[in-house]
Amino acid sequence: MVGQVERQEQLFYRLRLEDYIPEDHLLRRVDQFVDFSALRTELAALYSHTGRPSIDPKLMIRMLLVGYLYGIRFETRLCKEVHLNLAYRWFCRIGLEGAVPERSTFSKNRHGRFADGDVTRRVFDLVVGVCADNGLIGGTGALIDGSTVHADANRARKTAPKDVEATWAASNGVSRPVQDYLDNLEDNATPVPGPKHKPPKYLSETDPQSAWSLKDGPGRFSYEVNYLADDKHAIIVDVEGTLARLSQEIVAAKTMLERQVAGYDPKTIAADKSYGTGPFLSWLLARKITPFIPVLDRKAQTFGKFTRDAFVYDAANDHYVCPQGHQLPLKSIDEDTRVKRYKAAPSQCRGCPLKGQCTDAPSRAVMRLMDEEARQTVRNLADAEAFQVARTRRKKIEMLFAHLKRWQKLTRLRLRGLSGAKEDFLLAATAQNLKRLVKLVPT
């Protein structure tokens, strides 16, 4: 006869949560590497010494790690999943009967007290230290790159800065991202590092700190996540969040290399062509870091006329010599763009038989970057075998971004403002490092 399962309720159950978590479960393997006891002591200063006991900060951190390890992007869903999933309960140390924080309580602690304590940076550094202790960081080469992530802002809700800045400043109640934007406007002593930019054409009404970007197709408000990874096992050594501007990638690269997380001091660095600017290459060479980076060169963009290679540079006298033997002396220097301009006399070009192939202007001018020696040094490395090996290893950091967006579902931020973007990026990178750690280190 056909069997039938009937629902039976028992008053008491005898079980151990430990017995229901498989030995090869991801959270069990992660748990052997994370210990947040020291963080709890450091975070004690953020809590009042009176009143009712608060939520254990270690519980908050473990819940956040669960969310980023499994791509649970919504806090409401995360609280529900931790309540229902036995493995999540075991990892968060709340057992079968422990209470899971409500979504509102979880959010207030995360965006209030945790934001003030820079908890995410400490958690990331702790995991990087564990990776270093297990021998996963030790290569002499670094990989660096950036990728855009859409901000939590509707692309249709954009406006000109002049239309909203005065309205926001006069308003008594604005959102946190808007207030952060206004605070940066008032603090003129600390402008955004990097090259000067024109005022933005569009501002987001909900997240004005994000930048309008056309990098990934149609225009979107976005931020940039920048990784510095070791080329040995692709462990993310440092993370920096910036505005979605190409120039900010180099600013972030300098910040991460100067920070030297876990004592990481690479001797070579591999990156794509967007990092091949003269000032950055000079900066790297001055710090004894060999750049395996294609040089960003636009010297051939002369519309069919003679390129700069047709002119011979005389370093001793600091001038160029054209194919007809005429000199092009130094005329001006632009310190902002680090460009030196050399120009021939109109009388020399007027009767030159090669003028039609050289220029349509009254006289020919040649531009030379002040960092041209560094650019030439890097060009000479392009044929070396080590350069090709480094270019091949650079694919590892591309895979990190692919994993970030496909498996961890970080294609759109959940937190607003630059501080929120940095928190999202740090926690996502922490989860990626933990997955690499449990994969590479035997249990």
Side-chain angles (χ1 to χ4, degrees), residues 140-145 229-232 267-272 289-294 378 381-398:
T140 58
L143 311 172
I144 200 161
D145 204 357
D230 183 72
D231 68 348
K232 184 178 181 181
K267 302 305 178 186
T268 65
I269 186 169
D272 60 29
I289 301 176
T290 304
F292 293 132
I293 305 173
V378 178
L381 298 173
D383 296 330
E385 182 180 356
F387 185 93
Q388 304 304 324
V389 172
R391 299 293 298 160
T392 302
R393 290 180 178 176
R394 200 187 69 82
K395 297 178 182 178
K396 295 181 180 181
I397 200 168
E398 299 286 357

Side-chain angles (χ1 to χ4, degrees), residues 118-389:
D118 198 16
V119 178
T120 52
R121 171 62 68 176
R122 301 189 197 183
V123 172
F124 173 79
D125 290 343
L126 185 148
V127 173
V128 172
V130 174
C131 293
D133 294 340
N134 284 273
L136 301 186
I137 300 176
T140 58
L143 311 172
I144 200 161
D145 204 357
S147 181
T148 56
V149 179
H150 297 325
D152 185 22
N154 190 336
R155 64 188 301 269
R157 297 188 61 184
K158 60 181 184 292
T159 186
K162 62 180 181 179
D163 296 335
V164 292
E165 287 179 355
T167 304
W168 286 338
S171 177
N172 293 327
V174 294
S175 63
R176 179 188 57 80
V178 172
Q179 188 60 53
D180 290 344
Y181 174 78
L182 294 175
D183 292 342
N184 289 336
L185 287 181
E186 296 178 358
D187 190 9
N188 295 325
T190 56
V192 176
K196 296 180 180 179
H197 291 274
K198 296 180 180 179
K201 184 178 181 180
Y202 299 120
L203 276 185
S204 168
E205 297 177 8
T206 52
D207 189 358
Q209 285 189 299
S210 59
W212 182 258
S213 173
L214 301 173
K215 186 175 181 180
D216 297 324
R220 298 289 297 265
F221 291 106
S222 305
Y223 288 97
E224 186 97 3
V225 52
N226 300 275
Y227 280 176
L228 173 66
D230 183 72
D231 68 348
K232 184 178 181 181
H233 293 295
I235 298 296
I236 304 169
V237 181
D238 204 353
V239 185
E240 186 68 20
T242 63
L243 305 181
R245 293 175 182 159
L246 188 62
S247 61
Q248 290 299 302
E249 290 185 348
I250 293 178
V251 174
K254 291 181 178 179
T255 301
M256 292 186 291
L257 288 170
E258 288 176 337
R259 196 149 44 201
Q260 289 189 343
V261 176
Y264 184 61
D265 189 16
K267 302 305 178 186
T268 65
I269 186 169
D272 60 29
K273 197 171 186 177
S274 63
Y275 292 86
T277 64
F280 185 56
L281 297 177
S282 295
W283 187 88
L284 291 172
L285 291 173
R287 283 156 179 78
K288 309 300 181 183
I289 301 176
T290 304
F292 293 132
I293 305 173
V295 177
L296 184 60
D297 215 337
R298 297 185 177 93
K299 63 181 181 180
Q301 298 178 4
T302 56
F303 306 100
K305 304 298 182 181
F306 284 149
T307 66
R308 192 175 61 197
D309 292 340
F311 298 79
V312 179
Y313 179 66
D314 185 346
N317 299 306
D318 194 18
H319 65 241
Y320 275 93
V321 179
C322 77
Q324 286 292 100
H326 300 304
Q327 294 183 6
L328 282 74
L330 176 64
K331 290 296 183 181
S332 62
I333 299 177
D334 190 334
E335 294 291 347
D336 292 335
T337 58
R338 297 184 62 79
V339 172
K340 301 169 71 174
R341 187 169 182 265
Y342 300 80
K343 189 175 182 180
S347 59
Q348 294 175 330
C349 296
R350 190 176 298 119
C352 179
L354 301 178
K355 186 175 185 298
Q357 305 175 50
C358 187
T359 182
D360 294 328
S363 61
R364 174 63 190 260
V366 175
M367 307 299 175
R368 179 180 177 87
L369 297 178
M370 296 171 66
D371 302 290
E372 189 61 32
E373 289 77 10
R375 288 156 55 88
Q376 188 59 46
T377 300
V378 178
R379 287 193 194 100
N380 296 337
L381 298 173
D383 296 330
E385 182 180 356
F387 185 93
Q388 304 304 324
V389 172

